[in-house]
Amino acid sequence: MLSKKELLKIFYKLSIELVDIKDLKLEVSNYYFELLLNEYGDDFISLLNNNYFGKKAKSTSSERKLNGLIIYLWYTSEFITRSELDSFFDVSDDFNKQNEFVHSSPVPYYNGLVWKAIRAHPLGLTGGYFGYWKYKPEN
Amino acid sequence: MDKIKNKKYDYIIVGSGICGSIAAYFLAKFNKTVLLLEAGETRDKDRIEMSGRYARTSRKTPGSPYVKENQFADSPDFHENIKNNNSEKNKNFYVFDIENNKFKNVFKSTYQRITGGSTWHWLGNVPRFIPSDFKMNSIYRVGKDWPITYHDLETYYCIAENEIGVSGNHEKWNKYLGAYRSKSFPMSEIWECYADTLFIKKVDGKSINGKEIRILPTPQARNSENYDGRPACAGNSSCVPICPIQAKYDATVHIKKALKTGNVDIIDNAVVNKLIENENKEIIALSYLTLNNNKVEIDTKTAKVILAANSIEIPRLLLNSGIANSSDQVGRNLMDHAQGYVTALTNEKIYPFRGPLTTSGIDAFRDGEQRKELSAFRISIGNDGWGRIKSPNAVVRELIIKENLLGSKLYNAVEEKVTRMIRMSYSTEVLPNKNNRVTLSDIKDNIGIRKPKISFNISKYNADAFEVAKEVCTKIFNEVGVSELSTNDNRDYSGAGHIMGTTCMGNDPEKSVVNDYGNSHDNHNLYIIGPSVFTTSGTANPTLTAVALTIRTIDHLLNNKITKNEV
Ligand SMILES: Cc1cc2nc3c(=O)[nH]c(=O)nc-3n(C[C@H](O)[C@H](O)[C@H](O)COP(=O)(O)OP(=O)(O)OC[C@H]3O[C@@H](n4cnc5c(N)ncnc54)[C@H](O)[C@@H]3O)c2cc1C
Ligand code: SF4
């Protein structure tokens, strides 16, 4: 039985592996861990255990889904609940988040990887000085 | 409260949105006493908290920053976000007249009930109407003529631009489409976004469908420098639903100024539900409901009553009171701008989501002979990817679930796609039509007032314009260099949030609700201000014109003190 401290570490490591970005914010990782644990309980623990004990190759479809929504969470801070899971993974469906999920802090949103990837800034945070938008983003 | 209740005011204004608050400010500045009754709550100290809520919530809609448990006065904007409205009866804020509707999208435009009104979540684009917009019938034989002209309003447009704080380019706009400007904008234009520079390079000056295309900086109620104690826009890119730094104008600016005069009292959480007239058609009292569901009555015998509660709530109140409707025109001629879009991926990266959500537009199609047959339209170039059609989050989801991407492949694919996403949206003029209307439903809202029932169809005049607008956008995109062009099904058009009409102005008391000063033809001490008095809808976003009309009305009530500038 792994301790919570160990599970937190595994989750952080797994997250880095899934998104291939080294400097993920630990505070956000710990927060996401709690969210996922609350919503996905044993499934989540088993994902972390399997990951730790090197059973990744045999991952089940439900584990693949969990991986997918962990990636999605890191990119967008949008938390997919169990009841939304099927619709989220339905390729024929335009998923529209219906459940209003409100995080306890804006930090996860501000750290969404999508903004970094598109060289913008989270909507609601300034991107700099007046007029910066006229130019290409700096490297 | 009792002190306020028993005080005699010169004016009682219902609604503290941009029109109500600017009216209150000018009246108070010229020593009139004003009581402002506001259905929503005063929350200007919550701006940071509300911006934070926007960041925290996963459903980012125009209402998301403002959601509060147990909201007293419901509104369509707020309603979208509350969970406890799953019953069929309460699913929508509006009751829709589905039977008589041909289109999927009945009417989705929203508004806010909060002190300061809907400018909290507006985008803040403020082009003027053009002269021909006021003369649709005499020039194009469609729609109606306004009882006033562009010329009658020009001075008031200038005052409105100064009050709101508009950034724009005088040289480019002066006399364009016949709309002369007697004064410069108070601030120079908001700089165009990076995508616009590509459009300027590739299409500016070219001829498309017989019109010279000019990529024009949209006049915006957003500061390009420090103005009126508010900072320059810093490109937070969240103008809809909230500007965290108030670089974008909202009506709390004028509420503060009005209160500072000492001549204005405001009561919030006060939903006015009835006006009462005597046999001389004088409004002698009004009543409002308070938080604890008390009903308070106010004597208005010595006051003038000004309704500024927007184009849905004003007819709702009048119909509920049986007032000002001898013409049977209250609630009729509901208008909006019917919108569609064309999306694409640009060949070059254009890096959207940096800066205001749109900074330029194409206005060439806002006028011309085609208006005899089909609606004029205004095109805006988005700086927000595919806007409502597909968010960056939706792209991430697709890449995860359809392409099974993760790690750096996902990161690169997100960059590759989202940095090229662009939309052009076109807004078409909806003509006045007596069957597009607000009536009262038998279903009541959370505080027992009959809900607004909406009947709304768009006509062939708009549907034909959609086709031309799509063709124009496609040609422009082809000049810019794009792939993956896509557009909406015409039945799936959207509204613009530009709710107009329902108490239209006119000279004939049998065919209109108010005269050109917003004075009710039936009730001499009743005035109406806001986009509900528009005779036709033009193609410009409506609020600047509504404010110019408001200032004209107040100037009239003050014997032209505003224009004479006698303080
Ligand atoms: C998403 C969005 C974007 C928009 N962007 C633009 C834009 O870029 N440019 C533009 O020109 N327009 C835009 N608009 C439209 C613009 O917001 C409105 O035209 C404008 O705010 C109307 O101002 P108003 O003062 O008439 O009404 P409102 O701002 O709606 O104010 C009415 C006030 O009356 C109060 N009230 C209502 N009923 C009662 C009652 N019974 N008793 C007491 N008080 C009451 C309300 O609480 C509210 O405070 C946008 C709208 C939306 C939804
Ligand atoms: S871009 Fe940002 S700072 Fe500028 S007006 Fe919009 S929200 Fe405010």
Side-chain angles (χ1 to χ4, degrees), chain A residues 27-109:
Chain A
E27 167 197 351
V28 177
S29 178
N30 291 349
Y31 169 74
Y32 284 160
F33 174 91
E34 295 295 343
L35 282 186
L36 289 157
L37 185 64
N38 260 335
E39 185 75 11
Y40 293 98
D42 288 348
D43 290 346
F44 179 55
I45 300 285
S46 121
L47 172 82
L48 297 182
N49 269 313
N50 288 351
N51 201 272
Y52 182 70
F53 294 111
K55 292 187 194 157
K56 266 184 287 182
K58 286 187 212 140
S59 65
T60 61
S61 109
S62 98
E63 285 182 1
R64 278 198 299 276
K65 281 188 176 170
L66 266 178
N67 282 339
L69 66 87
I70 290 169
I71 299 173
Y72 186 70
L73 192 55
W74 276 108
Y75 266 83
T76 66
S77 80
E78 228 177 66
F79 184 57
I80 306 301
T81 55
R82 249 185 215 280
S83 62
E84 296 170 315
L85 209 55
D86 286 343
S87 142
F88 182 80
F89 282 99
D90 180 353
V91 284
S92 64
D93 189 21
D94 270 348
F95 175 73
N96 243 329
K97 183 122 180 95
Q98 289 305 325
N99 290 356
E100 193 183 50
F101 186 86
V102 186
H103 291 298
S104 53
S105 122
V107 177
Y109 170 71

Side-chain angles (χ1 to χ4, degrees), chain A residues 134, chain B residues 172 189-206 213-217 359-362 381 476 480:
Chain A
K134 185 170 179 174
Chain B
K172 288 188 177 162
E189 76 223 56
I190 293 284
W191 291 5
E192 67 268 16
C193 67
Y194 184 64
D196 297 349
T197 60
L198 186 67
F199 277 70
I200 292 168
K201 206 161 67 191
K202 302 266 176 108
V203 260
D204 203 44
K206 292 207 166 142
I213 302 297
R214 291 196 209 167
I215 310 296
L216 290 176
T359 46
S360 300
I362 297 165
I381 305 171
I476 294 172
V480 169

Side-chain angles (χ1 to χ4, degrees), chain B residues 432-452:
Chain B
N433 173 340
K434 66 179 179 7
N435 297 321
N436 284 343
R437 65 188 297 201
V438 179
T439 50
L440 294 179
S441 163
D442 291 334
I443 301 172
K444 293 190 172 160
D445 71 6
N446 58 330
I447 50 174
I449 303 176
R450 291 173 73 185
K451 285 186 163 208

Side-chain angles (χ1 to χ4, degrees), chain A residues 17-21 68-69 71-72 75-79 87-95 97-107 109-110 113-138, chain B residues 51-60 64 67 81 83 189-194 197 223-225 232-238 244 349 351-357 359 383 390 392-394 396-398 400-402 405-408 410-411 414-415 418-419:
Chain A
E17 228 170 78
L18 288 173
V19 297
D20 195 19
I21 287 182
L69 66 87
I71 299 173
Y72 186 70
Y75 266 83
T76 66
S77 80
E78 228 177 66
F79 184 57
S87 142
F88 182 80
F89 282 99
D90 180 353
V91 284
S92 64
D93 189 21
D94 270 348
F95 175 73
K97 183 122 180 95
Q98 289 305 325
N99 290 356
E100 193 183 50
F101 186 86
V102 186
H103 291 298
S104 53
S105 122
V107 177
Y109 170 71
Y110 292 153
L113 297 177
V114 64
W115 308 114
K116 214 169 154 176
I118 66 171
R119 319 267 294 275
H121 55 86
L123 307 184
L125 270 192
T126 174
Y129 50 90
F130 173 79
Y132 75 86
W133 50 84
K134 185 170 179 174
Y135 307 102
K136 266 188 186 179
E138 286 154 21
Chain B
S51 304
R53 191 182 191 286
Y54 169 71
R56 289 187 291 116
T57 181
S58 42
R59 287 194 67 220
K60 300 203 187 317
S64 52
V67 177
N81 283 278
K83 280 174 264 162
E189 76 223 56
I190 293 284
W191 291 5
E192 67 268 16
C193 67
Y194 184 64
T197 60
N223 291 355
S224 61
E225 59 191 81
C233 168
N236 294 59
S237 322
S238 60
K349 290 183 180 170
Y351 301 103
F353 298 103
R354 299 156 60 251
L357 304 174
T359 46
N383 182 28
K390 186 170 272 176
N393 290 9
V396 174
R397 169 184 172 258
E398 255 181 25
I400 296 173
I401 71 160
K402 290 192 185 162
L405 293 185
L406 47 84
S408 56
L410 174 65
Y411 192 85
V414 170
E415 193 211 343
V418 181
T419 55

